[in-house]
Structure formats: C-alpha cells, structure tokens
Amino acid sequence: MKVDVDMSICLLHGQCVIAAPAVFSFDDAGGLVWLSDVDEGLRGDVEAAADACPEQAIVIG
Amino acid sequence: MTQADLTTPDAPYLDVADPTFSIRSAEVMAARDASWYARTPYGLAALRYDDVQKLLRHPKLRQGSYRWPAHSGVTGGIFAQWWESMLLSQEGDTHARLRRMANPAFSPKLITDLRPKFQALANRLIDQFAAKGECDFIADFTEPYATGVICDLLGLPFEKWRELADIAGEMGLALGVTFKQDLPIVEAATARLLAYAEELVAARRAEPSDDFIGTLVKANADKSQLSDQELLDMIVLAIFGGIDTTRNQIGLAMAMFIEHPEQWALLADQPDLAKAAVEEVMRVRPTVTWVTREATEDFTYNDLPIAAGTTVHLFSQAACSDPAVFANPDFDITADRKPHFGFGGGAHHCLGHFIARGDMTEALKLLAQRLRNPRFNGTVEWLPDSGNTGAISMPIAFDPS
Ligand code: HEM
C-alpha cells in the first residue's frame, strides 16, 4: 500500500502520529516523516490516520 | 527564574483579566504589530499567525487548563475528577491512547450519515419562526440546533434537547468565576450527565450499533485501551464540549452576516459557499478566541526564555487577522485563505470538528436561503469578548416567508 502526505496542506498537528505511530513520526527538527510503502497489515491504522487528519492531507494509494 | 524575569519590559502588556478587555481591540492589533508576544497577568500571549501555529504544536507546551478546578479552589468531587481525567487534560501516551480509541466515533464517514438529520433539524426550527419575520436567534435557533445535533449524535430524540441543554449549562458553570459557589449545582449536573452516558452505553451493549455511542462501546471491548470510566468520560466530554461552542459559533456567524448583508445574499445564491463561509466566520469571529498552553520545562522560543509552568495564551483571533498573512483581512466568503485556529491545533485539535463543520455548513446553507435580509431587532446580549465568546440573546428580524 502506497502512502503519501500532501505537504502543501499538512499543518503538522500530528494526529497521524497518534493514530498510526508505526507509519508516521516527527523527526528531531519537528518535520513529518512517513513510510511511503506500507505493509497491508497496517491498512487499518493508515486509514484511521487518514480519517483523523484534520486537514485530510493523507493520500492512500 | 521567576515569572517577572521572563519578559523584556518593552513587550506590550495586555490586561486580559480586566472584564472590559477585548481581544478584538485596536490595543491588541497594535500589540501584534509591535511584538510577536505580549505580557499578561497570567503569563504570555502569542499574537501572530506563524507563532500561534508553531506554539500550538510545540513539544515543550502542554494543554493549559488541566488544573482549572484546583486553581478555582475546588479539589475532589466528581467534576474535578472528570475534568482531570478527560481527553483534553491528558498528554503524551494517555492522551494518544484515548484519542485513538475515540477517533472512529468522530470519523468523517460517520458524520456523512448525519447530514440529512442536520438539515431536517435546521428546517424544523426555521419552520417555527419563518412566517413571523422575527426570532431570538439564540433561544429559537442556535441553542436548540446545537443541542439537537448532539441528540442526533447520541441517538436521542430531539425532545430531549431542553433537558440536555440545561444539564450541560449547569455543568458549564464550572468554567465561570463563581465555580466554587456553584459547586453543588455543577456536581449534581456532572452526576446526571454521567448517569445519562451510562444509560446510553447500557442500551448499546444490549443492542450493538454502528452509530457514535455504538462505535465507542466497541472501542471499550478492550478495557485496557478504553476503560468503562474513560468511555463515560468521553461521552460526557462530547456533550460538554459540543453544545456551547456550536451555539456560540453559529450566533457569531449570524452577527457577521448581518454586518455584511451582501455576503449573506451571495451565500443564498450560491449555497455551495456554505463550507467556505464557516471557515471565514471562524477566522474573523471564532468563539474560542484563544487556547491555553503551559510550559512543561524551561525553553527558549524566538530568543525569549520561557520558564516551566508559564501560561501561554495563543490568541487565535488576533493571529487570523495578522497582516503578514492576510493582506486583505476583510470578511469575504469567496477569498482563498490560510487555515484559521478556531478549532485549536496540534495533538488537541478539536475532535468534534467534522461534526461542527458539517452541522454549521448545513445550518448556514438553509438559513441563508430561508431568512432574507436579516437585521438586528433589539439589543444583542454578549458574553465577554475574550476566552469563549458569543451572544446570549440576539433578537433579529428578516423578511417573513
Ligand atoms: C463550533 C464548534 C466547536 C468549536 C469552535 C470547538 C473548538 C475546540 C477547540 C479550540 C479545541 C482545542 C482546545 C485546546 O487545545 O485547548 C477543542 C477540543 C475538543 N473538542 Fe471541540 N469545538 C467545537 C465543537 C465540538 C463538538 C461538536 C465536539 C463533540 C461532539 C467537540 C469535541 C471536542 C473534544 C473531545 C476536544 C478535545 C480534543 C483533545 O484534547 O484531544 N468539539 N474544540
């Protein structure tokens, strides 16, 4: 499963980091990093993150 | 380091504790133009867009009202216990766990199903006064609407709205300056809401469903992730946090449109603008005018040392007319804008925002079409302009239909 974040609308609330910590995290500088190719087993978490994103910036491919 | 050492004496001072202080005043705008922050009797206030955005999610700041009962001299009792354990007062792992458990009940998918109910509710309320050509917009529309939305969410019949609004209002006395005197009322109201939540949960346990409560009950299947008490606390928070905010925000929307009749006419002609209208109203006239944060440890921001324990108010309202970001800040529902902070931001970003955005969009769409030429029709009674603001009563007149 492909995962992408539209960084032109992401506001770094970190709701995806809360919803799917195995996929999304903050680096030391506070930037968002994520796995772009995610195991199907984590689909539930990724979908929960996409739903929880206040800006609806997460794209699941 | 003491509080007094924190700030340079030349930073503007804003007396936010003065009852006549207005977060919309020229004084605040001038402070924002002069400095990114101001000193206040409580600590600091961040005034500009970029700083509010960064501080909303700053790792050294936590949500700042978790000690409210103790600050008001209230220790112990079920309100204080609820306040200290509920989502908004939690941080870190516990906050993340509770939020993960609650998320599915607040997902955009669940809200889509509620939209026809929101429309029916708005129409039903408008039907009662449309022919008269006048109403009290708060008593006759925003209050029953905001509470009726929560009834829809909880699966309660609309007829329950008055009772729910009264209990929530009594519990809301906890946020006022007379909290300590009102404590017996607050405690009784909290007990009633918790009992209400318990009844709703029992009904869904007996008959599982995919609605809001049913989804929360499912999350409670694993008690280590969401305990029975946490489940009830979450339901009480949705009721407590969802009613006054929505009531106030729709009232503020009407006030903005009465002051900008051409925008109301535009919305009536182009109902698809309703979604953008909600955002624009929340940018210029948010009900939550600031959010409160507290420093968890000493840190430096913009060369300013901030000591652990310092309260930092983030002035969402002032930030969203910051000329550095909004070259033309005038109310315009067709303008392409940067996001506002009316729902806060970061880890505590409003969990109910899909619901609130959905119900306010449906309400504005129908109101603009059915109430033409709205105008004030008597004296509007307002809450103070800062903190959580809005109208208590708003007599309006419009063309009868
Ligand atoms: C126009 C209506 C609303 C406005 C303006 C609003 C505003 C806010 C704001 C500003 C916060 C963040 C507070 C902070 O960071 O200190 C918040 C949090 C919250 N809101 Fe709303 N809200 C609204 C409607 C709702 C509704 C309808 C619900 C539930 C049905 C709700 C549930 C919550 C919850 C549970 C939180 C806590 C989230 C957390 O701590 O993680 N809100 N709201």
Side-chain angles (χ1 to χ4, degrees), chain B residues 359-375:
Chain B
D359 68 54
M360 293 193 292
T361 300
E362 297 309 326
L364 286 187
K365 214 183 268 183
L366 291 164
L367 286 163
Q369 285 169 53
R370 298 191 58 190
L371 307 186
R372 298 293 171 127
N373 297 314
R375 53 222 176 249

Side-chain angles (χ1 to χ4, degrees), chain B residues 66-138:
Chain B
Y66 64 108
R67 274 205 288 249
W68 170 251
H71 280 169
S72 315
V74 174
T75 48
I78 53 170
F79 177 85
Q81 203 174 7
W82 169 77
W83 182 268
E84 281 152 21
S85 350
M86 55 101 169
L87 184 69
L88 184 63
S89 297
Q90 294 300 319
E91 293 292 327
D93 290 346
T94 306
H95 175 266
R97 173 176 60 78
L98 292 173
R99 183 111 191 180
R100 263 196 303 273
M101 292 301 108
N103 271 340
F106 291 88
S107 84
K109 285 172 197 132
L110 224 88
I111 308 320
T112 310
D113 298 344
L114 288 171
R115 277 189 187 249
K117 293 197 170 180
F118 297 159
Q119 290 162 357
L121 178 60
N123 273 323
R124 166 183 187 155
L125 292 167
I126 299 169
D127 284 345
Q128 288 178 6
F129 52 71
K132 275 192 274 183
E134 58 176 33
C135 70
D136 178 343
F137 190 63
I138 307 303

Side-chain angles (χ1 to χ4, degrees), chain B residues 156-381:
Chain B
L156 289 170
F158 174 67
E159 288 63 34
K160 287 273 185 196
W161 84 266
R162 183 73 267 171
E163 189 190 352
L164 207 62
D166 288 343
I167 313 176
E170 283 165 13
M171 194 168 157
L173 293 173
L175 302 181
V177 281
T178 54
F179 177 20
K180 212 170 169 188
Q181 280 119 277
D182 294 329
L183 188 60
I185 305 174
V186 170
E187 288 287 294
T190 310
R192 281 183 74 192
L193 268 195
L194 283 163
Y196 230 110
E198 219 164 344
E199 268 176 51
L200 291 166
V201 165
R204 295 313 187 291
R205 285 215 175 105
E207 217 171 305
S209 66
D210 290 330
D211 64 354
F212 177 77
I213 303 280
T215 306
L216 284 174
V217 165
K218 256 176 232 160
N220 166 250
D222 180 352
K223 311 250 187 239
S224 71
Q225 290 301 304
L226 187 70
S227 72
D228 290 352
Q229 188 60 45
E230 287 167 341
L231 168 67
L232 300 181
D233 288 350
M234 191 69 76
I235 295 169
V236 170
L237 177 58
I239 301 171
F240 187 78
I243 295 178
D244 282 12
T245 43
T246 308
R247 179 200 64 194
N248 290 340
Q249 192 63 70
I250 300 175
L252 289 161
M254 181 54 87
M256 279 314 294
F257 280 110
I258 286 179
E259 288 157 14
H260 297 86
E262 75 296 341
Q263 297 279 313
W264 192 244
L266 188 66
L267 178 58
D269 283 349
Q270 298 180 44
D272 286 350
L273 285 173
K275 196 165 174 274
V278 168
E279 303 305 311
E280 182 68 348
V281 165
M282 290 189 71
R283 180 183 70 84
V284 292
R285 210 62 170 96
T287 172
V288 183
T289 63
W290 71 48
V291 295
T292 310
R293 293 292 182 263
E294 184 183 300
T296 51
E297 51 187 278
D298 294 356
F299 72 106
T300 301
Y301 179 83
N302 277 0
D303 297 330
L304 180 71
I306 299 177
T310 303
T311 293
V312 186
H313 280 127
L314 310 180
F315 276 22
S316 317
Q317 170 127 35
C320 287
S321 59
D322 181 349
V325 174
F326 303 97
N328 180 358
D330 294 346
F331 183 60
D332 178 357
I333 62 173
T334 65
D336 196 11
R337 300 291 194 195
K338 281 205 152 190
H340 61 77
F341 308 124
F343 288 116
H348 294 283
H349 184 283
C350 179
L351 184 52
H353 76 105
F354 289 121
I355 301 169
R357 284 183 153 123
D359 68 54
M360 293 193 292
T361 300
E362 297 309 326
L364 286 187
K365 214 183 268 183
L366 291 164
L367 286 163
Q369 285 169 53
R370 298 191 58 190
L371 307 186
R372 298 293 171 127
N373 297 314
R375 53 222 176 249
F376 294 125
N377 186 31
T379 310
V380 181
E381 258 185 278

